[in-house]
Amino acid sequence: MSRTKSVSTKPLILSVAISSILAGQAFAQEEAAEEASQGGFEQIIITAQKRSESLQETPLAVSAFTGDELREDGVASVEDIGSRTPGLVFAAFSVGQPEIAIRGIGTKEDGAAASDSTVISVDDVYIAARTAQVFDIFDLERVEVLRGPQGTLYGKNSIGGSINFITSKPTEDVTARGRLTVGEYGRFDLGGMISGGLSENLLGKFSFSNRNYDGHITNIHTGETHDDRETMAWRGQLHYFMTDDLSFVLTVDGADDDIGDTYRVPVGSAGDSVDNNANNPLAVDAAFGSAGNPYLAANDEIGATDRTVEGYALKVNWETEDFTFASITSYRESDFLWWEDSEGLPGLSSFNPAVDPQFGFRRDVTDTAVERTVQFTQELRLVSPGGEKFDWVVGLFYSKEKIDRTESFCIPNCGFNVIPQEQIDYAPGATRIPSNFIISKSIQANDSISWAAYGQGTYKINDDLKLTAGLRYSYEEKDVEFGGDIDDGVVAAGVFIQENFWVTDSDDWGNVSGRVVLDWQAMDDVMIYGSISNGFKSGGYIGSPSTPERAVQSYDEETAINYEIGFKSFLFDSTVKLNTALFYTDYSDLQVTRFAQLADNPTNPFGEFITENAASADIQGLEVEFAWMATDNLEFGGSYAYLDATYKDFTPNVANLAPGGGTLPCAEGDNAVSTNPADGCIPDFSGKTLRQAPENMLHVYARYFHDMGDAGSLKAKVSYRFQDDSFYDPDNNDITVIPDYTLWDAQLSWSDTDDNWLITAWVKNLTDEEYRTHVYSQRNSQIAFANFGAPRTYGVTIEYTF
């Protein structure tokens, strides 16, 4: 399955040619059409460029989803957004470590001093903490996904793109909505919203979402499901109009998540982990009876996640004849506790690697993380009225973040929720190694300050041609403290963390990013644009450094320049919507994270994480979004993404440990540092595919509407999703891959004539596809473990609105 791709422009050229031909045919047919319009798609108004404007007239690659669409499809997470957005791939090592990649640009590093590749914001408030970025999606007006570098208006860490959640606002008239969902595996969700005027100048709204799920993965030792979920999220808003031109919006929100085990399933072994013994995770999995079934788990320590989030935001909006002034002030804090058996197997009962696999997994380890994050942001913005000869936006941004994180690696487990040995079918005479036999703790603290100044202007050359240009200066400083602690276990041994230490360091990064766009309104409903834009992601520090020397080695920022041509259109009396984007991205100084045994740290038996600036990459692709209203009752739509994302030059700075513990010659394709194998091997990843970069992604749907008169109406919808295989290690090895998969969803809903009641029966993963959602490796990619998506589930959702 592993392969090396060569960069080819043929698929892109062919796709552009086909799009051009179709567009030309559409223009001719539209001009020739004489029949009456059968209705069409409405414009979606977005604020991606910090002003209200039509999606179809915004010269950006943007996917926008309205609140009605999200509720119709039961969208509840960023993962659900990813399945509908071309080029967006969502994965997660844990609930608190989302890995979001847009066009192959993403982040694996999870340390306190790491930066993300995609900006996530709610109502213009940037969410800094990765442990708080994946939250319940509810009560939204829309979601906007900006694809590609957004350095001008969004700044640092938007090198991949930006995901903006816009919540619904308080209304003058009293409105309310309630939602109840019941489904398989004990699913029981409640949600609601009430909004209305509280006085002549004051509007208010309160909304909440409570979701419960008993789980679908059975622990083979206890016979119980432990992947249960109970989440509660809420939001309150007050909108006060001091005058007709001056208003204040106060938002308070919170969340409390109690999430069970996320489980791991062994999926690969190589090297010294292929024999039928305790070194081989696949053999251990089979010995305890869970092999081949991703919904059976053999781990002996049951993991969990406990997370609380609260936030406060005040937005001031002052409108004048010459400009609109906006001030957005926010404060957020979050607490995160998580632990997980990293291999999903019972802990070892012997250090002898040759013993029977039913003695347990010799390399078993539990990973835990405790993190507290506090964030303050302030943005000031001036926006011109719009529709003038020259439109502009200028702003200042400031943020202060404090993250304290402790990550522990316990061998064989941490003792939080361990299944008693007598409940596990170990080999006769086995005596399990005690909890916390070896503990390695990585203590991390990061205080960062960043600020930016930006401006963007659009000059209308004529009625059909506009030129947009913008610049942003960004600065960030990180003050870090790192500690290593190996003294708390039964045995003080250096595994992962090699010694006790405490060090401090600081570094800073500055960047000027910009954007130039020329857009042409070729026809009333057809716009073509070309743009050059760049973005950057701040530098940082390795999350769990093994030594004090490694801890103070910061890595540099990464940058990307994106060249893009786009086409947006409404055709055939607005019954067809076709948007395309063709792009090439020159990606430099990639921050690549890998887990390996390193030559300069040969006594570390498990390996360690390291993040380096060791690569450049070429990324090119095509994205298409389409919708067709075939009749008044029948609609088709979806999206397609083609992506070719490869390392142009990637030979790491730090050598891997040579095979045989540093005694054997380097593997084929690796370069020996010297004639002495102990000096290690430098792998060459040039030409390999970037992680989370599937070559093809396709999402299509069909929706049918049937009016039954006084009996109400029926709506049926079927959707299909395909994702190509994608790699999760830079060497593109066969065991750390998510194979291609397809998913089908279906639903049937009824609504009354007044649209007060909506009852929907739904099925997710209709064909019961077994598919991976994340995979990671250990020991130089010799063993791999994966998470899997949910099996087929079904249920009913009832909504009442008045």
Side-chain angles (χ1 to χ4, degrees), residues 581-644:
L582 173 69
F583 61 90
Y584 168 78
T585 305
D586 187 0
Y587 194 11
S588 302
D589 295 322
L590 282 72
Q591 300 165 6
V592 181
T593 301
R594 55 194 179 100
F595 188 85
Q597 292 177 276
L598 302 176
D600 61 358
N601 200 359
T603 60
N604 191 338
F606 272 85
E608 59 189 289
F609 288 102
I610 186 170
T611 298
E612 308 164 278
N613 295 100
S616 60
D618 286 327
I619 303 173
Q620 59 181 337
L622 173 73
E623 297 161 346
V624 179
E625 294 179 288
F626 59 93
W628 173 35
M629 195 172 293
T631 70
D632 288 342
N633 301 327
L634 183 60
E635 176 187 332
F636 301 94
S639 63
Y640 168 74
Y642 166 80
L643 184 65
D644 187 340

Side-chain angles (χ1 to χ4, degrees), residues 710-730:
D710 293 340
S713 61
L714 291 176
K715 184 185 295 182
K717 185 175 183 180
V718 177
S719 62
Y720 166 88
R721 178 192 173 195
F722 169 80
Q723 180 174 300
D724 230 332
D725 55 86
S726 55
F727 298 103
Y728 277 68
D729 272 353

Side-chain angles (χ1 to χ4, degrees), residues 146-298:
L146 287 64
R147 310 188 301 274
Q150 306 295 324
T152 303
L153 295 179
Y154 293 87
K156 71 181 182 74
N157 307 340
S158 62
I159 190 169
S162 176
I163 303 176
N164 307 330
F165 298 91
I166 297 92
T167 66
S168 63
K169 300 302 180 286
T171 56
E172 292 186 18
D173 298 328
V174 175
T175 59
R177 179 172 57 248
R179 183 200 74 227
L180 167 66
T181 295
V182 293
E184 198 176 7
Y185 302 111
R187 180 170 175 180
F188 187 84
D189 301 348
L190 283 173
M193 179 275 295
I194 185 167
S195 176
L198 302 176
S199 67
E200 183 178 355
N201 297 324
L202 182 64
L203 309 178
K205 186 198 74 171
F206 178 79
S207 57
F208 76 95
S209 177
N210 176 243
R211 302 182 191 271
N212 294 269
Y213 185 68
D214 288 345
H216 60 269
I217 301 177
T218 301
N219 185 281
I220 202 163
H221 310 302
T222 67
E224 300 175 352
T225 58
H226 297 289
D227 60 320
D228 55 305
R229 286 174 170 256
E230 183 177 356
T231 64
M232 178 69 179
W234 57 271
R235 182 182 301 112
Q237 281 189 339
L238 292 174
H239 194 169
Y240 176 64
F241 296 89
M242 180 173 286
T243 68
D244 291 341
D245 302 322
L246 180 63
S247 65
F248 302 82
V249 178
L250 174 66
T251 303
V252 182
D253 69 278
D256 189 350
D257 300 333
D258 186 2
I259 301 171
D261 206 334
T262 47
Y263 286 113
R264 289 284 170 181
V265 178
V267 293
S269 61
D272 65 353
S273 301
V274 295
D275 293 329
N276 188 37
N277 57 36
N279 266 0
N280 184 345
L282 297 181
V284 176
D285 203 31
F288 285 89
S290 52
N293 189 336
Y295 310 125
L296 290 178

Side-chain angles (χ1 to χ4, degrees), residues 128-149:
R130 297 185 73 191
T131 51
Q133 286 180 341
V134 178
F135 46 81
D136 190 353
I137 294 177
F138 70 104
D139 188 28
L140 295 179
E141 180 180 310
R142 66 184 180 280
V143 177
E144 302 171 1
V145 182
L146 287 64
R147 310 188 301 274

Side-chain angles (χ1 to χ4, degrees), residues 743-765:
L743 295 177
W744 288 88
D745 297 333
Q747 61 179 262
L748 177 66
S749 61
W750 169 87
S751 61
D752 65 350
T753 55
D754 296 324
D755 289 329
N756 296 131
W757 288 97
L758 177 65
I759 302 175
T760 303
W762 50 263
V763 182
K764 303 283 188 181
N765 191 4

Side-chain angles (χ1 to χ4, degrees), residues 7-81:
V7 177
S8 172
T9 59
K10 290 182 179 180
L12 304 184
I13 296 173
L14 178 60
S15 299
V16 172
I18 293 173
S19 297
S20 301
I21 293 170
L22 291 175
Q25 293 175 342
F27 296 158
Q29 293 179 44
E30 184 176 31
E31 291 175 347
E34 297 180 355
E35 62 268 19
S37 171
Q38 54 186 353
F41 296 103
E42 296 181 354
Q43 293 278 2
I44 298 176
I45 303 302
I46 63 173
T47 53
Q49 296 195 111
K50 310 298 185 183
R51 66 167 71 246
S52 296
E53 55 190 350
S54 166
L55 169 66
Q56 295 302 100
E57 296 177 357
T58 302
L60 279 171
V62 186
S63 299
F65 308 95
T66 66
D68 289 341
E69 290 179 87
L70 300 175
R71 286 190 295 273
E72 177 185 276
D73 291 343
V75 171
S77 67
V78 179
E79 182 178 5
D80 294 334
I81 295 295

